[in-house]
Amino acid sequence: MTGIYLSGTGNTEHCIKKLFFLLDKTAPAVPMEQKDAIHLLSQHDFIVFAYPVQFSNVPVMVKDFIKSQPDLWKGKKILCVATMGLFSGDGAGCSARLLKKYGAKIVGGFHIRMPDSVCDVKLLKKTFQENREIIRKADRKIEKCAEEIRKGRYPKNGLHLYNRIAGLLCQRLWYYSKTKSYSDQLKISNACTGCGLCTRLCPADNLTLKNGKAAAGKHCTMCYRCISSCPARAITLLGHTVIEQCRYDKYIQNGKKNEPLK
């Protein structure tokens, strides 16, 4: 068993690593941008594929990762894991359908609600304690999922027709333009100090330093990693002001990330 994930603010990384901590502590889970990720996946028959949902759809970077290796997925058993701020309908089903086209066997789908990660829009913002409670519930759900998987029973979140209809009608149909391609809307204000942190964090290599300031390209995958980490709060995407830098680690006060909050 191995895992591959895209994680912007730490939500998805936590979820897949906690699941592996409970199922098999020796199983590797690596970020999608890691150079040897494809080689690692080719060595395993069971893959956990995890990512954050965007407007009830799969991030473009995730779609491209799947499409770029069409032969890799043939015959692989895959559990699709989707993290979300509130609702996705068929978040796991979106990648499951694409992977099936390339010959993968989808064993299950798993939806996990985590704290909202959109830093520059007020919608869905919660208090610190509310977000901690969301993580507590997510941890419990992952623990129950691990128990069921050990018994050979996999969750089927987002894999049914009614899930697909819900995802389509509630979000994807209306916001398809935001997820059909990479975004060129990343904005960097004069507050940028040119520290270069965002250029090192970006999984899509969409940020560079020019004349001592960060500069954005046209291939933003909307993961919000740079926005949530910029020390100057100089980067925005959907909004124009950073409301809150939402990162998983800020809600964790005990030292072991794979253990539930107390």
Side-chain angles (χ1 to χ4, degrees), residues 172-183:
R172 195 160 56 251
L173 186 64
W174 316 108
Y175 297 103
Y176 177 71
S177 61
K178 292 184 179 295
T179 57
K180 69 177 181 179
S181 59
Y182 292 98
S183 175

Side-chain angles (χ1 to χ4, degrees), residues 126 178 209:
K126 300 286 190 299
K178 292 184 179 295
L209 285 179

